[in-house]
Amino acid sequence: YITGPIVEALGQIADPKFVDVLIGLTRARSSNIKNVSIEALGKIGGDKAVNAIWQVLDQKIKDGNFVAHESLEIIAAASKAMG
């Protein structure tokens, strides 16, 4: 069972080897896990992480789940990941 603190720890470690795991967690049922995964990807950075973050935002828009504050958090994570 994955919890928010575990996902946060992966972001703090900031090892690119966790990017694929975190990308998978952006599709979790729990909105907390999704959000923490996006933040962790932002901390790790790199092209793959940035692309995954933008895909989450794009999917939210397509699904009609565009919520301003969540979307701004996603954009902030992408910005951080880009350096």
Side-chain angles (χ1 to χ4, degrees), residues 20-63:
D20 289 330
V21 171
L22 292 167
I23 289 171
L25 292 173
T26 64
R27 295 183 289 276
R29 287 186 181 179
S30 164
S31 61
N32 180 53
I33 295 298
K34 287 179 191 178
N35 293 337
V36 175
S37 297
I38 292 166
E39 289 177 26
L41 286 167
K43 290 177 182 176
I44 294 173
D47 291 341
K48 194 170 187 178
V50 171
N51 289 334
I53 294 167
W54 286 122
Q55 286 177 0
V56 169
L57 180 59
D58 186 52
Q59 192 62 51
K60 282 186 163 291
I61 293 168
K62 287 178 182 174
D63 292 345

Side-chain angles (χ1 to χ4, degrees), residues 53-54 57 66 70-80 82:
I53 294 167
W54 286 122
L57 180 59
F66 186 82
E70 287 179 357
S71 298
L72 289 174
E73 290 172 3
I74 294 170
I75 292 168
S79 178
K80 188 173 191 173
M82 291 187 289

